[in-house]
Amino acid sequence: NRIFLKIEKSGEPKIGGPEELRRGNYSSLLPDPRHMGAAELYSTYPPDPQAPIQWLPPEGFDPAVAGLGLPPLDAAEHDVVFHPLPSKASLEDGGSGGYESCRHGTFNHNLNVLRFREHLLAVWTNHAKDEGGYGSRRLGCAGKILDPHGNIDWHGDGALAEITRAPMPVRRRKRVSDRDAIRSAEALGYFRVVKGRLFFFGRLGCIHGVTTAAAHEMTRRYANCPVPGENFFFGKRSKPPRWSYVKWSFGRFFQEWDIINDRLQPISPVYKESDFPSEMALTPEISLPLETLAPIYREAPLLEEAPEDFQGHISWGENSQKHGKNFFPPRNQPSCT
C-alpha cells in the first residue's frame, strides 16, 4: 500500500517506494495490516518520504492512545451501544466453537440502523476476532427514543440480542479456503418493517475461494452456480488478472420479532425458504460437503408451513419496498446454463 509509480527522466515507468519492495522483498507487508492495532500499524508502516502525497499528523496525534489522541469534533455525539469482551470461542483458540455470550467477540461491523415505532434498532455483524470469520452472527439492540432531540436510551449490555446464531462452529478466517469441506458459514441479514410488524430477512452463506471471473465476484452478487474451473482458486492470486472473493449462498430464512419491555425478542420460529444444501458445487469439477449446520437452521420448518399471514407479510416486504441496505441484491445473477 506504499508503492507508487515513479517516472524517470527517460520516461520509463518504474516501481518506486521502499527499497525492500524494489528488491522484491515483501516481508515488510506482513503481517496483514488489517489485523494490526493503530500503534503497531504506524510503527510497521512509517511515513514514506518518497511518497508523492505526504500526510502530516495533526497536533496531539498518538496512535498508542484511545481515539488516536485527537479530540472529537464539537458537533459529534457518541453513544456506547455495548462493551464487547474478548472471545475464545474459536476452535483454534481452544474454544468450544460457541460464543460465550452476546457481549463476546471483538470484530463488529456491517451496522444497520432502523426505526421501529418509538425505538431505534441497531444491528451489526459479530465475530470472535475476524471480519468474515467462520461462524459470524448478527447482534442487535433496541434504543428507546426519549425526545425529538436525538437522545436515546440503549439500556446497557443487558439489552443485547442474538439475532442470528452461528450456523457452524466459530473458527478463525483462513487465508486459503479449505479444500475438503466448507466450514466458513455465516448468518447475515437485516430487519424490515412490514405493515407495522418487524421481520428479519436472513441468509446463510460463506466466503470460499477466489475468482478471476467478473460474473462471480463477491462485490456484485452471491454465486448460485459453479464458477468456471479456470477462474476458481482456493487462495489469493499474486499475479494478474484481478481477483475477488466468491460469496456463496446456501439459502434464506425469516423470523418475526418485536420489542417487549424495551428488548428485541423473537415471536416466531425461524422459517427457511427451502432446505439448505449438504454440498456446494464450486466448479463443474469441484464439489465440497458443508459442515453440519446448527439445529436452528437445519431443523427449521419451511416457509410454506408458516401461517398464511406470515407468508403474506414476507412476500409483501420483498416485493413492495426498496430497502436502503440490501445484503442480497438479485441483480445480474450469473447464468447456470
Side-chain angles (χ1 to χ4, degrees):
N1 61 351
R2 293 182 293 147
I3 301 175
F4 61 92
L5 198 62
K6 183 178 181 181
I7 306 298
E8 301 287 353
K9 291 183 179 180
S10 64
E12 294 293 328
K14 296 183 179 180
I15 293 297
E19 286 296 331
E20 66 272 15
L21 297 186
R22 292 198 192 94
R23 295 193 303 268
N25 178 6
Y26 297 95
S27 60
S28 65
L29 299 182
L30 299 174
D32 192 323
R34 293 173 299 178
H35 300 160
M36 302 167 65
E40 183 183 6
L41 181 66
Y42 197 71
S43 61
T44 304
Y45 299 92
D48 181 2
Q50 299 187 47
I53 299 177
Q54 296 290 331
W55 179 69
L56 301 178
E59 184 179 355
F61 173 76
D62 184 350
V65 303
L68 303 179
L70 304 177
L73 298 175
D74 293 337
E77 296 182 6
H78 300 270
D79 283 337
V80 177
V81 175
F82 85 118
H83 301 81
L85 297 174
S87 172
K88 293 187 177 181
S90 299
L91 297 179
E92 295 87 343
D93 293 332
S96 65
Y99 291 101
E100 300 91 336
S101 75
C102 286
R103 288 186 60 189
H104 285 82
T106 50
F107 203 104
N108 298 275
H109 62 128
N110 284 348
L111 173 68
N112 290 93
V113 178
L114 176 71
R115 179 166 183 170
F116 179 57
R117 299 173 186 158
E118 69 274 13
H119 289 82
L120 199 64
L121 311 185
V123 185
W124 61 93
T125 300
N126 166 269
H127 185 262
K129 291 183 177 180
D130 298 328
E131 178 181 12
Y134 302 178
S136 290
R137 58 179 177 171
R138 294 285 273 175
L139 300 179
C141 60
K144 181 70 173 291
I145 300 174
L146 302 177
D147 54 47
H149 306 293
N151 293 308
I152 299 173
D153 182 1
W154 292 102
H155 305 292
D157 297 319
L160 291 175
E162 187 177 54
I163 310 302
T164 64
R165 298 181 191 175
M168 292 180 179
V170 181
R171 292 182 172 91
R172 303 296 306 275
R173 184 174 175 179
K174 298 180 179 179
R175 293 179 180 270
V176 178
S177 299
D178 292 329
R179 297 173 181 267
D180 61 334
I182 294 177
R183 304 179 177 90
S184 50
E186 51 187 358
L188 305 179
Y190 55 87
F191 277 116
R192 178 175 290 177
V193 178
V194 182
K195 296 183 179 181
R197 291 163 61 178
L198 185 64
F199 291 87
F200 188 81
F201 289 65
R203 184 182 295 269
L204 297 186
C206 73
I207 298 173
H208 204 91
V210 304
T211 182
T212 55
H216 296 269
E217 63 184 24
M218 184 184 78
T219 55
R220 298 180 63 188
R221 66 191 61 78
Y222 277 77
N224 291 328
C225 58
V227 175
E230 64 271 19
N231 299 119
F232 180 83
F233 308 90
F234 283 97
K236 297 180 181 180
R237 303 292 294 160
S238 59
K239 299 179 180 179
R242 64 181 296 272
W243 57 268
S244 173
Y245 293 109
V246 186
K247 180 169 278 191
W248 305 90
S249 172
F250 305 157
R252 303 192 301 168
F253 61 93
F254 310 93
Q255 188 174 33
E256 185 173 4
W257 288 67
D258 204 348
I259 298 175
I260 302 173
N261 297 325
D262 293 325
R263 303 292 191 271
L264 271 169
Q265 297 187 32
I267 59 173
S268 83
V270 169
Y271 292 98
K272 57 188 177 184
E273 186 173 44
S274 60
D275 288 328
F276 297 113
S278 59
E279 68 175 23
M280 293 292 294
L282 307 183
T283 75
E285 300 81 21
I286 302 174
S287 293
L288 294 184
L290 269 65
E291 187 172 64
T292 303
L293 293 171
I296 191 172
Y297 306 111
R298 186 179 70 251
E299 301 171 3
L302 293 172
L303 178 61
E304 63 185 27
E305 301 173 19
E308 291 186 6
D309 182 56
F310 186 102
Q311 296 184 50
H313 277 73
I314 296 299
S315 178
W316 192 93
E318 288 189 304
N319 298 324
S320 64
Q321 295 184 0
K322 296 293 184 182
H323 197 68
K325 179 66 173 177
N326 191 338
F327 281 91
F328 322 114
R331 66 186 187 280
N332 301 328
Q333 291 291 347
S335 173
C336 295
T337 58

